[in-house]
Amino acid sequence: MPSEKAQISLHVLTLNCWGVPVPFASKYRKERFHAIAEEISKRKFDLVILQEVWAESDFKLLQEHILKVMPYSHYFQSGTIGSGVCVFSKLVIEDSFYHLFPLNGYFHKIQHGDWFGGKGLGMCRVSIQGISINIYCTHLHAEYDMESDEYLSHRVAQAFDMSQFIKYTSKSCDLLIVGGDFNLRPTDLGYKMIVTNGNLLDCWLAKNEENETGHTNERKDNSFSTHNVQRLEPAGRRLDYLLYKANEGVDVEVASCKLDFGKIPDKPYNYSDHEGVSAQLLIQRTKDTDQFPETRDDSKLYDLLLESRTVVQKGLQKARSDNLFYTVLCVVCTVALYGFWCTEMERETSHLVVIGRAVAFVTLTLLVAFFLFYKLIINRIEFKGLTGAEKDISNLCESVRNSIKQN
């Protein structure tokens, strides 16, 4: 039974702000960030978790408005351009930490950019009336091609890594809240892994059905939805989440959970290409003796682990074939470069031929350097990251299998 202590109300928001600081990449970026900052400053949020705040200037703009009502903030620095993830809070941020995912896509896919953001999982610790709360915020690798997802193994590995990190770092807190753009649908393997292995609950499902009303991205009523995705998923997709878990001695009730930050008032466009998700949590201390032990669905987790390991193993096969591919390209370019080096030109050769040979020589040199760098550095990082994920998944898989046998 609950104690006589009053319930604590906590209002939380997560929003992908779509703040890519590249010309024409994010429409009305400055105008939208002004609108986001002003709207948050008017509302009574206790915690705000934002993603895709890539530019320092955008973060400072948010600070100028939001710190008036939420005096504490933290931006998680990572990669070459920053993680894009930040937290604003009415509560004192007592501690913070950033866990970098071992796998973050490919550096040569500049048009995607995930590698440069150094994606991972940020954590902040806050407290309210003696209840310690871990706030986790993340933005997993995007899915750029639904019909041929080259990043599937990376995203599954990130989801498993995220669930493990949350599971082991949340034991000392009373309540944990996870927010962010997971780039995962509720039916995706990665989402199932996060909620099952992390033993987390979904705020949206606590108050709503799983249908298109909860879709946060590529909605028909969003002015920034793309025709290509709409063709494949006409109703949109749910990618943004608020998850939670109460540890022993604390009871949590989801009073409300809704989509937020849709159309900007008096504007023909939305705050972002994603809808925000906001929730009100009611928190209360309980007597420890009334708490039930944490349960885990080992059979479901075991099946998810087997499926995840298969996906990661396919990623490893691709990494091996990529290594061979770039090895062959490197050898071919090296042979061609050697041929250019050894071939002598006649004195009567025109200036255009000389310039052409020089350009070809420089191009081949750069290609050899790139293929070597990819083979010896980038491919090796990917291979070791996937190998580590495969071994970690296998270890947990064996442990869960033994647990099932004993029961």
Side-chain angles (χ1 to χ4, degrees):
M1 294 292 293
S3 66
E4 297 300 322
K5 292 184 178 180
Q7 284 183 325
I8 301 167
S9 178
L10 203 66
H11 289 80
V12 187
L13 167 74
T14 181
L15 174 67
N16 180 323
C17 298
W18 193 35
V20 183
V22 176
F24 311 111
S26 294
K27 297 179 181 178
Y28 310 111
R29 181 171 64 89
K30 287 297 182 182
E31 295 88 344
R32 291 188 297 100
F33 266 86
H34 274 285
I36 291 170
E38 289 178 6
E39 183 65 16
I40 291 176
S41 67
K42 295 176 185 176
R43 306 280 288 276
K44 296 182 179 180
F45 293 116
D46 298 292
L47 295 166
V48 172
I49 301 167
L50 302 178
Q51 306 88 51
E52 288 208 30
V53 185
W54 300 113
E56 291 273 348
S57 59
D58 290 337
F59 178 65
K60 290 178 180 177
L61 185 153
L62 292 169
Q63 280 185 317
E64 289 175 6
H65 291 77
I66 299 176
L67 291 186
K68 298 172 185 176
V69 294
M70 306 179 76
Y72 307 100
S73 66
H74 185 78
Y75 185 90
F76 294 95
Q77 296 288 353
S78 182
T80 60
I81 59 175
S83 68
V85 176
C86 60
V87 172
F88 288 87
S89 172
K90 281 187 177 178
L91 309 171
V92 177
I93 296 177
E94 303 167 354
D95 205 353
S96 61
F97 183 77
Y98 190 76
H99 173 67
L100 181 68
F101 292 138
L103 292 163
N104 271 302
Y106 306 112
F107 93 105
H108 64 288
K109 299 279 185 175
I110 299 175
Q111 73 276 22
H112 295 163
D114 295 70
W115 188 87
F116 296 93
K119 290 189 171 181
L121 181 67
M123 186 191 83
C124 288
R125 171 69 66 89
V126 300
S127 297
I128 181 169
Q129 296 184 25
I131 295 176
S132 60
I133 306 172
N134 277 11
I135 310 298
Y136 297 92
C137 44
T138 192
H139 184 196
L140 272 65
H141 200 295
E143 176 190 61
Y144 293 98
D145 188 345
M146 290 180 288
E147 297 175 296
S148 179
D149 185 7
E150 63 181 315
Y151 299 112
L152 177 61
S153 59
H154 285 217
R155 200 159 48 255
V156 168
Q158 287 180 346
F160 175 74
D161 189 51
M162 173 177 166
S163 68
Q164 289 285 86
F165 184 84
I166 291 172
K167 182 170 66 175
Y168 289 113
T169 58
S170 62
K171 292 181 178 180
S172 62
C173 69
D174 297 310
L175 169 68
L176 65 98
I177 300 171
V178 186
D181 173 7
F182 293 4
N183 276 309
L184 297 167
R185 303 164 191 78
T187 54
D188 288 344
L189 173 61
Y191 170 83
K192 295 176 183 178
M193 176 61 70
I194 290 169
V195 297
T196 304
N197 191 37
N199 210 18
L200 302 169
L201 298 173
D202 193 323
C203 286
W204 178 261
L205 296 182
K207 304 302 291 186
N208 307 278
E209 297 295 326
E210 185 64 270
N211 54 44
E212 64 185 58
T213 61
H215 292 178
T216 60
N217 181 242
E218 301 294 349
R219 293 172 59 93
K220 292 179 181 178
D221 56 357
N222 190 296
S223 59
F224 300 118
S225 294
T226 57
H227 296 295
N228 185 45
V229 177
Q230 284 273 297
R231 177 178 59 84
L232 298 171
E233 293 181 298
R237 52 199 181 184
R238 187 160 81 100
L239 303 180
D240 303 80
Y241 302 90
L242 283 174
L243 310 179
Y244 72 99
K245 174 188 170 186
N247 284 331
E248 188 176 4
V250 173
D251 180 64
V252 176
E253 176 190 348
V254 181
S256 66
C257 185
K258 63 180 182 179
L259 297 191
D260 218 329
F261 284 71
K263 275 280 195 316
I264 301 175
D266 302 322
K267 296 288 183 182
Y269 49 86
N270 289 56
Y271 285 99
S272 173
D273 63 341
H274 286 245
E275 308 290 306
V277 182
S278 62
Q280 180 188 11
L281 305 180
L282 300 179
I283 311 164
Q284 192 172 36
R285 277 287 184 194
T286 61
K287 294 180 180 179
D288 293 352
T289 54
D290 293 335
Q291 292 293 302
F292 295 95
E294 181 180 300
T295 58
R296 184 180 71 181
D297 189 340
D298 282 345
S299 297
K300 181 179 179 182
L301 178 58
Y302 183 69
D303 292 338
L304 291 173
L305 289 168
L306 289 177
E307 188 177 353
S308 298
R309 186 169 62 183
T310 300
V311 171
V312 171
Q313 286 171 343
K314 288 180 179 178
L316 276 169
Q317 292 174 0
K318 181 180 180 298
R320 291 190 183 95
S321 63
D322 284 349
N323 185 279
L324 178 61
F325 175 71
Y326 282 101
T327 299
V328 172
L329 288 178
C330 186
V331 170
V332 169
C333 289
T334 301
V335 171
L337 187 63
Y338 180 77
F340 267 97
W341 183 266
C342 295
T343 303
E344 293 184 3
M345 290 189 296
E346 298 179 3
R347 292 182 179 179
E348 293 79 12
T349 302
S350 69
H351 291 295
L352 287 178
V353 172
V354 173
I355 293 172
R357 284 175 59 88
V359 170
F361 183 83
V362 171
T363 301
L364 286 170
T365 302
L366 291 175
L367 285 174
V368 169
F370 170 78
F371 295 145
L372 276 176
F373 177 73
Y374 191 93
K375 170 184 168 59
L376 299 177
I377 306 297
I378 302 301
N379 181 260
R380 197 163 181 80
I381 290 173
E382 181 188 17
F383 184 81
K384 286 186 175 295
L386 288 169
T387 300
E390 195 271 339
K391 290 185 180 298
D392 290 340
I393 293 171
S394 295
N395 288 337
L396 183 57
C397 192
E398 183 66 21
S399 174
V400 172
R401 187 173 71 87
N402 292 334
S403 177
I404 294 172
K405 283 183 177 180
Q406 292 174 3
N407 295 330

